[in-house]
Amino acid sequence: MTLFKALSDGKRAGDLWWLINEMQKNGLPVSNSMLVTVIELYSSMRRIDEALKVFENFKKFECTPTTANYNFILKLLSSVGNNLKINMLYNEMKRIGCSPDTTTYAIMIGMLGRAGKYDEAQRLLQDMGSRGCTADVRAYATLIKSFGQAGKVDSALQHFNEMKERNIAANEEVYCYLIDSLAEVGKLDESNGLFQEMEKLGVKPSASTCICLITAFIKSGKQVEACSLFDQMTAKNHISKSAIEPVILKLRKIHKIDFAWDFLHALFSRDYRPDAAMHYFLVHAFCMANRADLALKVFHQAVIDNEENALVETFNVLIESLGKVDVEGARQLFQLMKNRGRVPDVATYNCVIEILLKGSLPDAAYDMFQQMVQQNCQGNLVTYKLLVKLLTHPKHVGHSPTALNSFWKEAKVEEAHEFLSELSRKGLLTFGEVDRKGSVLEASS
C-alpha cells in the first residue's frame, strides 16, 4: 500500500496497473478504490483505452462496479463520442442490477442527441420518473444542447418552458445553450431577452455566453448594439476588455473578419484604447486572415491618430504582411518604426531584407543589411540564408553599377565568402564560419 500510494502520487498509471496484478498473484485483496485510482489516472492522461481496460477487469479482481464507477466511464466515453460503447455499458449496467441515476440518464440523453435520435432522447427524459429518477437540470440541459446544436430551436425552447412548469431552475449552462442557439439562427431579440432574464434571476453569465451574444450582434451588422452589450458586460465584470480576442478569433473562424473591423471602429469611437499587447493581437489577427488593409486601419487608429506606441512585434507582423502586396509601404512603415523610437530587431531586418529581395531591389536589401551591421544587430541563421541569396544569385542583380552587383555579375563567390566570414568573426552572425560554397561550418545555433 505504501508503494501504491507512492506510484499514485507520481501519476505512474502503468506501474500501478502492474502492481495491482502483482497483488492478485500474491493473494492480496484489491479494492474498488484502487482500481478507480488507476482509471482516473489514465483518464487524466487521456488514455481512454487503458482506462476502459481496467474497468472491464473489475470482475477479475472480485470487485463490483458501482453506479458512480459506471458514470465515470460513461462520461469518459462521451467525451470522445464513443456512442456504441456507451450503449453497451448502459445495457450491461441494467443487466447486472446496477441502477442508473440522473447522471447516467443525462449521459444517455446526450448520446442519443449526438446520434440524432431526438425522439428516443425525449422519451428517455419522460420515462425517468417511472424508473425511479426525477429529471433534473442536467438532463434538461443535455437535451436542450442537443436540440440547439441541431438547429431545432423551437424544441429546445419547448423543453426550457417545460422546466419552468416543473419548477426546475435553469442554470447558466441551460441559458448559454439557448442564447447560443437563438443567436445562431438570427433570433437576436429572443437571445438578448434570455440574457436579460438570467441576469434578473441572479444567474451570472459565463464569458463564453457573453462572447456568443456579442458575436451574434456583430455578424448581423448591429455594431452599436454589440458595443453597448460589450460595455454593459465589462461594467458588470461578466467579461474583461480582453474578451475582444475570442470575439475576433470567432469572427475570423466563420469568415466574418470584415465585421470585426466594423465592431472595433465602433469601439474606437467610444474612446476605447487598446493597450500595446491588445494592439499586437488585433494587428496579428487581421494579418493572419490576409487582411493587411484592415490591420493597417487598426494600426492607423491606435498608433498614428492617437500617437500611441506599438510593440516592435506589432511593426514586424505588419511589415511582413504589407510587404506581400506593397513593398514601398513596408519600407515606409519601417521608417515610421524608427521615427517612433522603436529599435528594429533581427526579425525586423530579416523581414525587410527578404521583402526587398522578392521585390527585385537587391541594392536596397544590401543597404538595409548595412544598417543592421551599423546598429550592431546580431544576425541569425535566417540572416545568413538571405545573405547567401543576396550575394551569390545573379538573377537578383539590379541595374545600378555598385560593388555589390559585381559580386553577382562576375560570380565572385570568394569575395562573398570573405565578406560573410568577416561578419562572423565580428560576432554579427551567430551561426559560425562558412565554407567556400556558402555552407555553414560548425554551426553554433
Side-chain angles (χ1 to χ4, degrees):
M1 289 305 298
T2 301
L3 181 56
F4 187 92
K5 185 178 186 307
L7 293 172
S8 176
D9 291 342
K11 301 187 183 304
R12 296 172 62 171
D15 289 332
L16 280 174
W17 183 228
W18 168 84
L19 182 61
I20 285 174
N21 281 282
E22 284 295 304
M23 288 176 65
Q24 187 194 43
K25 288 178 184 177
N26 286 278
L28 298 173
V30 175
S31 68
N32 185 300
S33 61
M34 294 174 74
L35 293 172
V36 170
T37 298
V38 182
I39 289 172
E40 290 176 344
L41 276 178
Y42 275 131
S43 171
S44 67
M45 299 161 68
R46 303 303 298 167
R47 292 166 65 175
I48 311 300
D49 290 340
E50 286 93 334
L52 189 59
K53 178 183 176 183
V54 176
F55 181 77
E56 290 173 342
N57 276 277
F58 263 69
K59 290 181 182 178
K60 172 185 173 183
F61 299 101
E62 299 180 359
C63 293
T64 302
T66 64
T67 299
N69 298 152
Y70 270 104
N71 287 344
F72 186 88
I73 290 294
L74 289 172
K75 283 181 183 177
L76 199 58
L77 293 169
S78 180
S79 69
V80 294
N82 192 337
N83 291 349
L84 179 62
K85 197 66 180 180
I86 289 173
N87 201 44
M88 288 174 60
L89 286 179
Y90 174 66
N91 290 327
E92 175 189 297
M93 185 178 182
K94 292 188 295 181
R95 189 171 61 252
I96 67 172
C98 189
S99 300
D101 60 12
T102 52
T103 300
T104 315
Y105 285 117
I107 295 169
M108 293 306 299
I109 289 169
M111 184 271 290
L112 291 169
R114 284 194 305 274
K117 299 179 179 179
Y118 305 111
D119 291 339
E120 290 184 40
Q122 289 183 94
R123 280 198 297 272
L124 188 57
L125 179 72
Q126 301 303 327
D127 292 347
M128 284 177 65
S130 64
R131 302 185 186 193
C133 289
T134 302
D136 64 359
V137 65
R138 288 174 297 176
Y140 273 102
T142 306
L143 190 58
I144 287 169
K145 179 183 180 182
S146 297
F147 278 119
Q149 290 180 336
K152 298 177 179 292
V153 181
D154 291 338
S155 296
L157 285 171
Q158 178 186 334
H159 288 289
F160 176 65
N161 292 327
E162 185 180 305
M163 284 181 66
K164 290 182 176 180
E165 292 170 4
R166 299 180 65 176
N167 293 318
I168 300 174
N171 58 16
E172 197 278 336
E173 190 177 23
V174 172
Y175 277 107
C176 179
Y177 294 148
L178 282 170
I179 289 169
D180 194 3
S181 302
L182 288 165
E184 282 297 317
V185 297
K187 295 185 176 183
L188 296 182
D189 291 339
E190 294 93 326
S191 185
N192 193 34
L194 278 177
F195 185 83
Q196 304 300 328
E197 177 184 310
M198 71 184 293
E199 283 195 304
K200 287 179 183 177
L201 293 173
V203 181
K204 184 177 179 180
S206 67
S208 61
T209 303
C210 298
I211 290 164
C212 172
L213 190 55
I214 291 170
T215 306
F217 273 98
I218 293 171
K219 69 181 185 181
S220 297
K222 298 185 177 183
Q223 312 303 338
V224 175
E225 292 87 342
C227 286
S228 295
L229 278 171
F230 183 79
D231 290 341
Q232 292 171 26
M233 293 171 182
T234 51
K236 294 176 181 178
N237 292 320
H238 294 332
I239 55 174
S240 65
K241 294 284 187 181
S242 63
I244 289 176
E245 294 188 16
V247 169
I248 302 300
L249 290 175
K250 190 168 184 178
L251 289 168
R252 195 182 84 190
K253 185 177 180 180
I254 61 176
H255 308 293
K256 298 285 185 181
I257 199 70
D258 286 335
F259 289 96
W261 163 248
D262 295 335
F263 171 62
L264 290 170
H265 184 65
L267 281 180
F268 290 146
S269 67
R270 291 170 174 248
D271 293 326
Y272 169 71
R273 295 287 179 267
D275 60 18
M278 177 60 73
H279 182 220
Y280 166 75
F281 166 80
L282 294 173
V283 169
H284 184 260
F286 283 119
C287 288
M288 289 296 290
N290 293 318
R291 292 302 302 270
D293 57 326
L294 297 180
L296 276 171
K297 285 184 177 182
V298 174
F299 181 84
H300 195 282
Q301 179 76 37
V303 176
I304 298 177
D305 289 357
N306 296 302
E307 298 186 353
E308 296 175 5
N309 247 334
L311 300 172
V312 170
E313 291 80 5
T314 305
F315 279 101
N316 288 352
V317 72
L318 190 52
I319 288 170
E320 181 180 6
S321 183
L322 187 60
K324 296 175 183 177
V325 293
D326 183 2
V327 174
E328 186 55 35
R331 294 175 74 178
Q332 291 175 6
L333 190 57
F334 174 77
Q335 190 58 48
L336 174 65
M337 178 182 182
K338 295 199 297 182
N339 293 343
R340 287 297 182 91
R342 312 311 291 176
V343 179
D345 60 14
V346 63
T348 316
Y349 281 112
N350 286 343
C351 180
V352 177
I353 291 170
E354 185 169 16
I355 289 169
L356 293 171
L357 277 173
K358 287 181 178 178
S360 298
L361 296 169
D363 292 338
Y366 183 75
D367 291 341
M368 187 60 63
F369 179 74
Q370 293 287 58
Q371 286 187 42
M372 182 179 177
V373 173
Q374 291 166 7
Q375 295 297 320
N376 290 318
C377 180
Q378 191 176 58
N380 57 19
L381 190 56
V382 176
T383 317
Y384 166 76
K385 290 178 179 178
L386 289 170
L387 281 170
V388 169
K389 187 176 182 180
L390 182 67
L391 295 170
T392 61
H393 292 283
K395 66 180 180 180
H396 294 296
V397 180
H399 296 293
S400 56
T402 63
L404 183 60
N405 283 340
S406 69
F407 275 168
W408 294 312
K409 289 178 180 178
E410 300 173 29
K412 294 184 177 179
V413 180
E414 290 288 336
E415 287 84 343
H417 165 259
E418 291 300 329
F419 177 69
L420 291 173
S421 296
E422 179 63 21
L423 292 175
S424 181
R425 285 191 290 273
K426 290 180 179 179
L428 292 174
L429 295 177
T430 61
F431 39 75
E433 284 293 323
V434 291
D435 66 14
R436 290 293 188 269
K437 295 181 181 179
S439 300
V440 179
L441 292 177
E442 299 178 359
S444 60
S445 72

